[in-house]
Amino acid sequence: MNFLPHTETELREMLSTLGLSQLEALFADIPEHVRFPDLTLPSPLSQMELEAHLRKVAGRNANASSHECFLGAGAYHHYVPATVDYVIRRGEFFTAYTPYQPEASQGMLQAMFEYESMICQLTGMGVTNASHYDGATALAEAVRMALDLASGNRQKIVLSPAINPHYRETVRTYLHGSEVSLVGENTVPDELDSLLSQLDDQVAALVIQNPNFLGQFENITGIAEKVHQAGALLIVVADPIALGLFQSPGSYGADVVIADGQPLGIPLSFGGPYLGIFATRTTYVRHMPGRVVGETVDQSGRRGYVLTLAAREQHIRRARATSNICTNSGLMALAAATYLATLGESGLRKVAALCFHKSHYAAQQLAEKTGLEVNAHAPSKPFFKEFYVQLPRPVDEVNRILREEYGVIGGFDLGACYPGFERQMLIAVTEMNTKAAIDRLVDALVTVTR
């Protein structure tokens, strides 16, 4: 079936309005030699030949299935139970869009309600939405919400430099053109006290990541009290796997908790689609962007599920929308809900414990056998599943050798984001990395860094 977006009559009307006689005139400003270039495409292939060609091209990728992967920095190689893929590929879920008619969408609405309930338990918050595109957009929305809630003319956000650089870039993009100023990014990534010193009556929110982008836990003792005394909100970017083992942000006074749900049963997929988790205190529910699914009863007293507080997003008040919710977000939230339901509390705790202990084993072995300095800028800070090591050679050079000669995907180059962290490699270790794989990484680095 041909796709015909406009009829001939509509095209003539549009050209007439523009004062043009033909469609080609729209492209007159494009140089002729690039307007219709000779693509020199190869001859057509049969479906069988094309599939074989695409497999060959895809085989060039170094991925977590073909190589041992120690690359994290915001996207992590965790195990995905078979139940996750089975559930999200069911036709009634896989094609579902925003459930406008609750009476016809009870299954999807119940799944979203279960997702929200589990995320609230994890984060220690009163309410969560379902959901955002990824952690970066969720954080940007949280910053905007804090600015909307701020009393007086508060136009400053204290943003920790130890937050994922991609998240900070997204926040800057959201605030571009506004009068809001971001402060704190020029401080040292592992000095939280310097951020607290910048709190004043102009600050709407302090944003931290815990564990931070370097994998280390922040000293959060008394931080919420100091932020609230300044009249600001505390926004915490969390790791959902770490929440299975360590203190929830809600328990130490966070007002908003943000996370990327990718570790919760969502594969790496070369960068997406992922899931933005957004949880906050019940007090702020009417200011929270996104849709919320609630539980109720019908006229017969039977339990049912409905969309609540969603009018401002996609329904009758779209002009007041503060964010956009799409099918992808719902499907990824369903994946996270299935993952959490499959593992349960004890299963999630075990995954987090494996990440913690395996990463500490890797750090210990690297320090002992290679002599590389671990977490040089803050060696006493506790860490979760990521740590960084000082290399004698450029990180990209070491990673190339690891990939080509040892079949290992190395860590993230911190020097690309942080001045003073040149030749520092951020290494991520999850439950997927066996002891044998960790030992191979150590042995390889012994040789490469010799």
Side-chain angles (χ1 to χ4, degrees):
M1 181 176 67
N2 292 330
F3 176 63
L4 300 175
H6 305 294
T7 66
E8 288 297 327
T9 301
E10 290 171 333
L11 287 173
R12 285 195 297 271
E13 290 177 354
M14 286 190 290
L15 290 172
S16 176
T17 301
L18 295 171
L20 303 175
S21 59
Q22 54 185 355
L23 193 62
E24 288 72 18
L26 290 170
F27 311 104
D29 293 329
I30 301 176
E32 189 172 353
H33 71 281
V34 296
R35 198 180 308 164
F36 301 106
D38 184 4
L39 299 178
T40 62
L41 295 175
S43 58
L45 299 175
S46 67
Q47 181 175 341
M48 183 172 62
E49 292 171 325
L50 180 59
E51 288 180 357
H53 173 70
L54 291 175
R55 289 194 193 96
K56 183 178 179 181
V57 172
R60 301 173 188 168
N61 290 320
N63 58 69
S65 297
S66 62
H67 291 58
E68 291 291 347
C69 182
F70 293 92
L71 178 62
Y76 303 95
H77 185 210
H78 288 286
Y79 181 71
V80 180
T83 49
V84 175
D85 197 50
Y86 173 79
V87 171
I88 67 174
R89 287 183 181 274
R90 289 183 62 92
E92 58 265 50
F93 288 131
F94 196 63
T95 60
Y97 191 57
T98 300
Y100 295 105
Q101 297 174 293
E103 67 278 5
S105 307
Q106 284 298 292
M108 190 63 170
L109 288 169
Q110 181 176 355
M112 292 301 97
F113 181 80
E114 298 292 350
Y115 162 81
E116 293 170 1
S117 301
M118 288 185 279
I119 295 301
C120 285
Q121 285 182 294
L122 268 183
T123 60
M125 305 308 290
V127 62
T128 185
N129 64 19
S131 51
H132 288 286
Y133 293 114
D134 54 24
T137 55
L139 177 58
E141 297 282 6
V143 168
R144 291 200 339 184
M145 187 183 83
L147 291 166
D148 291 340
L149 286 167
S151 58
N153 187 31
R154 293 175 179 261
Q155 295 290 302
K156 287 169 60 177
I157 299 292
V158 180
L159 196 64
S160 168
I163 294 172
N164 188 315
H166 297 147
Y167 290 22
R168 290 186 280 121
E169 184 179 359
T170 302
V171 171
R172 287 193 294 269
T173 300
Y174 267 57
L175 298 179
H176 180 73
S178 71
E179 297 179 356
V180 179
S181 60
L182 296 175
V183 297
E185 288 196 278
N186 294 327
T187 58
V188 179
D190 45 30
E191 290 186 2
L192 189 57
D193 289 342
S194 61
L195 296 177
L196 294 173
S197 67
Q198 299 187 56
L199 292 172
D200 57 31
D201 59 3
Q202 299 299 307
V203 173
L206 169 68
V207 190
I208 65 169
Q209 182 169 338
N210 189 38
N212 62 30
F213 185 68
L214 305 179
Q216 301 171 327
F217 286 102
E218 300 286 7
N219 181 9
I220 43 79
T221 304
I223 184 174
E225 290 79 0
K226 295 176 182 177
V227 173
H228 295 154
Q229 286 173 5
L233 297 184
L234 174 61
I235 301 174
V236 177
V237 180
D239 182 325
I241 297 295
L243 296 181
L245 186 61
F246 297 99
Q247 188 177 8
S248 70
S251 67
Y252 56 80
D255 298 293
V256 186
V257 181
I258 296 304
D260 197 304
Q262 180 274 325
L264 303 178
I266 299 172
L268 289 167
S269 301
F270 296 100
Y274 289 165
L275 165 68
I277 293 173
F278 188 117
T280 187
R281 298 185 179 278
T282 307
T283 307
Y284 307 130
V285 63
R286 290 190 174 273
H287 300 272
M288 181 176 65
R291 63 187 178 190
V292 179
V293 177
E295 184 181 72
T296 185
V297 294
D298 63 12
Q299 290 182 336
S300 302
R302 295 173 300 187
R303 181 169 57 180
Y305 302 90
V306 294
L307 277 179
T308 60
L309 304 179
R312 65 188 184 279
E313 294 300 330
Q314 292 184 325
H315 303 162
I316 61 175
R317 295 183 180 179
R318 283 180 288 183
R320 299 185 182 181
T322 58
S323 67
N324 178 42
I325 302 302
C326 71
T327 307
N328 162 58
S329 300
L331 192 66
M332 297 302 101
L334 176 62
T338 307
Y339 176 88
L340 290 170
T342 300
L343 267 65
E345 181 179 347
S346 60
L348 186 63
R349 177 181 292 271
K350 184 175 182 179
V351 171
L354 285 170
C355 293
F356 179 83
H357 292 298
K358 287 188 174 189
S359 62
H360 282 72
Y361 171 77
Q364 179 188 24
Q365 291 297 301
L366 282 168
E368 292 178 358
K369 293 187 176 182
T370 67
L372 299 176
E373 190 173 7
V374 175
N375 293 342
H377 293 76
S380 62
K381 261 191 170 182
F383 62 92
F384 175 46
K385 65 184 178 188
E386 288 179 282
F387 59 92
Y388 56 95
V389 293
Q390 175 75 53
L391 300 178
R393 302 165 66 175
V395 175
D396 59 348
E397 181 181 325
V398 173
N399 275 336
R400 179 184 56 79
I401 297 173
L402 289 176
R403 185 177 64 253
E404 295 177 357
E405 299 184 16
Y406 297 93
V408 171
I409 299 174
F412 180 79
D413 183 2
L414 287 175
C417 302
Y418 296 106
F421 281 74
E422 289 76 14
R423 299 192 176 187
Q424 298 277 5
M425 177 190 284
L426 181 66
I427 296 174
V429 184
T430 73
E431 80 280 9
M432 295 295 285
N433 300 116
T434 63
K435 179 180 181 297
I438 295 171
D439 291 340
R440 284 197 297 274
L441 171 69
V442 173
D443 293 340
L445 284 176
V446 167
T447 303
V448 174
T449 59
R450 183 174 298 162

